[in-house]
């Protein structure tokens, strides 16, 4: 799991809890029916919004996004330079032995299509469709968390309205107004916490990860097409380096 | 009707009701004039917003979207591989007998155009127009629910303003302030429930379903064009598999 | 004027008025200075926002959009099939006599360009520019109503702030607080009604109508280009039917 | 300065002032520190947001947009028909004498490029870049006013929070609560007025003017390209008329 | 650091502080636990939202954007005219000596590709990828500040809810209500200040700077391609001048 997420979650929740404890008992902030309305209602609204299989797939997408392999862009560029060298010297069929060891399915499929002799434009079409459908699936994960983060404050407000109506209808004892209102506000508090310290930041992280992965796949497509066209390894390196900031570029040709 | 929707609706409403009942009588939350303002006003605003025939079409779109046939992507890809095999061995005219049994109108129309000998680019144009106009019709359904979900809280606020003005103008008896305000808040409550536990999630579901259907139609277009061009069944399978996540891909060639 | 708009306006306003009357005197909700701030201020802000000629054009656009001729898509498709038949049998010049009777200027101009012998790609360019500028003009109408609907609640809030400041500064008699606050809230109420029961739904209707008209013009462009290219009437019918949902398609070839 | 803007500003401010005066002394609504927070803070935030030269350029853009030359579309189309006639009869070089009198720099540059013998596609590229960079500069003006209109209510709220905190901390004399709160609300009032009766409508007007100018430049590009290609004046008129609504079209060929 | 930012920050904060001091002691507005919730919570939520390396990169992006070299567009255009002159007279290889002195990496890389003899379309592809990935990296900086500016008011509201709940639960002494509420409002105040006087304007500045840099890179791409194609220096100047407003254009050919 990536470090920033752990630090972020601990930091955010620790601060909120310690701020609460500075001001009094943390038990004041626990109310089971309020939690039920916010958590259950938000889940319910999201279940109406998305098909069940999509909801279940989310856990996998989230796991993939958080436990994220450390493939570096520089390493991938260096691999392409090596592959392009082999393909130029020994012909594209000579890539088949090294393909067996590749971990990335996308890369393997793309090179297989080149070895099979498809035209570069067909390879680009197939890999492009693949990237679009990866993007769609990732977008779904991020969208579901955004939806949770939109319904959570709404359910929080609904809970507060319920509490306010009950309090106002039965306003006999003035001394009970304060505590009743405090409880009514708790659902708004839960909704705001759930949305702003969990759902929305996670949705943001999934989006960032997806953009990184799509960028990587586009770089790979560019590299595969260049190999299929028989480009010079130096040119391929220059093409692929364009995806990196200047200070991170490395060259195999010194 | 799909399972997630039922679970979601039951879960959301059951939780809200039980939360209300934990705090007191559910009868406090029923007020017919308030319901009239929110439901009637929202319907009225939406009727000004959309032509009547569009409003009536919505029920059909909704029904189609919820009771949704279980055509799997994998099955469709396998069908295309079979069709491509027939077309390659026996010529494209040999597809006509199998077309009679197809349930999907879009697929049948597309294959008919290929059998009629239209050029692939014309087929792509016609099927593309068809997809765009399917999308337009689906978008309408989702838009109408989004509009309902936008006007509902606004009408809720209008109702609350009416209640507040009436209460404030005739503020003789201080003990009546609480209950009058509770009733005034009920319209806001109805608006929030209607929007967040019904209209907006349904709009979301319609959008998701529409995206899935459009993806399926694009896959079909790709398959039909490939058959019309006389592509190799293996290539067609690889092209169409690009629409699926890796772990769901199946191959007819093992 | 289309039926849904009438029903919608009556339904929405009748409900709001009856809800008001159930709770007391409707006279409480009339306050001329409040109306002046909301109506006048909203008009003023919108006049700063749009050039005067655009504001005046709006009335015409609105009238066109509401009193909307009942040209059906099916009828137009049938007309194109007939025209294509004439053009194929007797040459494209044979269309000139039937053009005189056409009511739609766009259709007449397009066919005139074909008869004049322009190339299909030039016809598509000219008609495309025409569609884009129709869209721009329609968008203006819808945008002006959206702008009115955005400024109305803002002016309502400004009015309420004025009322609150006056009430708070001169808070001598506690019994006058309630009624003064009620009057202050009236501008918010007017702003919400003006925006949600008039401006925003009308903006929505204008957008829907514009989309329908643009779709019709695109269908006509497709038909005109096909006639100019000398396409087979059956193919034209199939191309144009793609704009219609399946259940509304009719065929002249049975 | 265009008429609608004057009418709008007078109408909006006169109504707000008279509404204030109906309810009491207008002096209640003047508070110098509140004005300082809202005006100064909004200017400050906008200065952080935009580079200084851009802020200074705004005054010029605004002046250009408000004092706007009365070039009519019809006149421009008629000019192009005349120019196209000259170019056809006497060759494109014959346009040089009439170019000296043209006031519009864009038109002159475009025709100069045609006379210099550049290919139509290069002319389109250069004029297209020019239009994009005009759009960018105009967008900046509109964006700066939108930014002002976004920060103004935020600063208004900040001012109100300052007032509320000061009032609540030193709540000794109950009779001072009302007036203190009134002053606190004044910043919100100033923010709302500044945003809704000045910044946002002016941003809207700048956007509308920019769209009109861009449309004019696109029409000119179309005309220049057509002249460079040696199109027939009648065809040019039909192409350019597509930018106008039907009822405003005039023809030089009757 | 650019002048407008300093003026803006000083102006905004000085005004807010002096407005506070006019109304009383500035010490009332300092509360350490409130600051902790808003600053810490906002940082925490943003750390969940973005990967750690991206957060660290931000400081560099910000520094680059604020301390921004004064390369003028006019100077760059004049340089291109000179380079194009050399390339035309002495061949493109004659550019190599002057390339060594160029400070801009992008320009140097582009010219190197031309000198290496790549085709103009490949150069455009490589430089285009480079521009897109520069844009992505800049967008990240601006997005992180926008995210900070979105979470800050949300955390402010969460802090206020905590304060309100604690105050309402333990409402024994009426005289303590005011000050307790004042403290509760402080987090909202901090959130609003942090978002509107720091995060959002800085995000806006980063966006503006990025647009300027991208425009410069596009101008350079246009110039490099034109040199690679062997265009006439006069034509190159006209092409590149299209990026400048009329009054700033200078010509090397008088």
């Amino acid at each position: 799991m990536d470090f920033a997420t752990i630090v972020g979650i601990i930091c955010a929740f620790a601060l909120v809890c310690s701020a609460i404890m500075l001001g009094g008992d943390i038990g004041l902030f626990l109310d089971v029916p309020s939690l039920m309305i916010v958590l259950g209602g938000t889940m319910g609204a999201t279940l109406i919004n998305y098909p069940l299989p999509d909801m279940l797939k989310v856990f996998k997408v989230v796991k993939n996004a958080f436990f994220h392999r450390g493939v570096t862009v520089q390493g991938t560029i260096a691999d392409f330079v090596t592959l392009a060298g082999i393909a130029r010297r020994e012909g594209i069929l000579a890539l088949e032995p090294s393909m067996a060891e590749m971990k990335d399915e996308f890369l393997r499929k793309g090179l297989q299509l080149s070895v099979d002799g498809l035209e570069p434009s067909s390879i680009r079409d197939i890999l492009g469709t693949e990237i679009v459908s990866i993007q769609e699936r990732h977008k779904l994960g991020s969208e579901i968390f955004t939806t949770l983060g939109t319904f959570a404050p709404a359910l929080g407000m609904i809970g507060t309205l319920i509490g306010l109506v009950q309090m106002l209808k039965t306003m006999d004892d003035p001394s009970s107004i304060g505590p009743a209102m405090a409880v009514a506000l708790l659902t708004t508090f839960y909704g705001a916490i759930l949305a702003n310290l969990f759902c929305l930041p996670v949705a943001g992280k999934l989006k960032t990860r997806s953009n990184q992965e799509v960028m990587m796949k586009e770089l790979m497509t560019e590299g595969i097409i260049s190999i299929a066209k028989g480009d010079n390894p130096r040119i391929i390196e220059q093409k692929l380096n364009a995806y990196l900031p200047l200070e991170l570029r490395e060259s195999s040709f010194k």
Side-chain angles (χ1 to χ4, degrees), chain A residues 130-177:
Chain A
E130 194 111 12
I131 290 177
V132 168
S133 73
I134 289 173
Q135 251 175 326
E136 288 295 317
R137 284 193 295 278
H138 282 194
K139 222 177 62 186
L140 192 75
S142 163
E143 257 181 44
I144 290 182
F145 275 92
T146 307
T147 304
L148 284 166
T150 314
F151 285 129
L155 267 294
M157 197 192 77
I158 289 176
T160 298
L161 284 168
I162 293 175
L164 284 178
V165 168
Q166 288 173 338
M167 178 195 95
L168 290 163
K169 284 263 178 161
T170 58
M171 211 161 60
D172 308 325
D173 173 15
S175 78
S176 73
I177 294 179

Side-chain angles (χ1 to χ4, degrees), chain A residues 17 28 33 49 63 111 113 149-150 157 166 175 206 236:
Chain A
C17 291
L28 295 179
N49 206 325
K63 213 192 61 194
L111 288 172
L113 293 172
T150 314
M157 197 192 77
Q166 288 173 338
S175 78
L206 290 173
I236 293 184

Side-chain angles (χ1 to χ4, degrees), chain A residues 43 46 50-66 136-148 198 202-203 206:
Chain A
M43 282 306 289
T46 310
Y50 291 99
L52 199 57
D54 288 352
M55 295 284 286
L56 299 175
K57 246 184 288 176
V58 158
F59 296 101
K60 217 166 142 195
V61 172
V62 170
K63 213 192 61 194
N64 283 347
F66 280 104
E136 288 295 317
R137 284 193 295 278
H138 282 194
K139 222 177 62 186
L140 192 75
S142 163
E143 257 181 44
I144 290 182
F145 275 92
T146 307
T147 304
L148 284 166
F198 183 66
V202 168
L206 290 173

Side-chain angles (χ1 to χ4, degrees), chain A residues 52-251:
Chain A
L52 199 57
D54 288 352
M55 295 284 286
L56 299 175
K57 246 184 288 176
V58 158
F59 296 101
K60 217 166 142 195
V61 172
V62 170
K63 213 192 61 194
N64 283 347
F66 280 104
F67 297 87
H68 146 94
R69 289 138 323 182
V71 186
T72 67
V73 182
Q74 289 100 322
T76 310
I77 295 177
D79 288 355
F80 269 109
V81 172
T82 316
L83 290 169
I86 298 174
R88 276 213 132 193
R89 278 194 312 275
E90 310 169 32
I92 201 158
L93 293 177
L95 296 180
E96 270 201 308
S98 29
M99 275 161 53
E101 307 154 17
M102 286 174 193
K103 281 189 217 125
D104 194 285
E105 279 280 350
F106 181 86
L107 182 56
R108 202 160 54 214
K109 176 171 180 185
L111 288 172
Q112 187 63 56
L113 293 172
S114 317
V115 170
D116 290 355
L118 253 77
E119 281 181 61
S121 69
S122 304
I123 300 178
R124 193 184 286 280
D125 281 357
I126 295 182
L127 296 183
T129 307
E130 194 111 12
I131 290 177
V132 168
S133 73
I134 289 173
Q135 251 175 326
E136 288 295 317
R137 284 193 295 278
H138 282 194
K139 222 177 62 186
L140 192 75
S142 163
E143 257 181 44
I144 290 182
F145 275 92
T146 307
T147 304
L148 284 166
T150 314
F151 285 129
L155 267 294
M157 197 192 77
I158 289 176
T160 298
L161 284 168
I162 293 175
L164 284 178
V165 168
Q166 288 173 338
M167 178 195 95
L168 290 163
K169 284 263 178 161
T170 58
M171 211 161 60
D172 308 325
D173 173 15
S175 78
S176 73
I177 294 179
M181 198 149 167
V183 173
L185 284 178
L186 278 182
T187 52
T188 296
F189 173 70
Y190 293 152
I193 291 273
L194 188 59
N196 292 294
L197 294 186
F198 183 66
C199 301
L200 297 179
V202 168
K205 179 82 117 221
L206 290 173
K207 215 186 204 161
T208 312
R209 288 273 184 248
S210 167
N211 287 348
Q212 286 175 338
E213 195 171 332
V214 165
M215 188 272 259
M216 193 73 161
K217 299 289 190 238
E218 276 168 1
L219 183 154
M220 285 177 179
T221 306
E222 204 59 59
I224 292 165
I225 301 288
S226 296
I227 289 178
K229 279 184 185 164
D231 276 359
N232 182 319
R234 274 179 184 271
I235 299 289
I236 293 184
E237 189 178 67
Q238 276 195 305
K239 274 193 190 167
L240 301 188
N241 265 337
Y243 287 94
L244 273 181
L246 269 178
E247 63 278 16
L248 297 180
R249 290 181 193 174
E250 291 166 3
S251 177

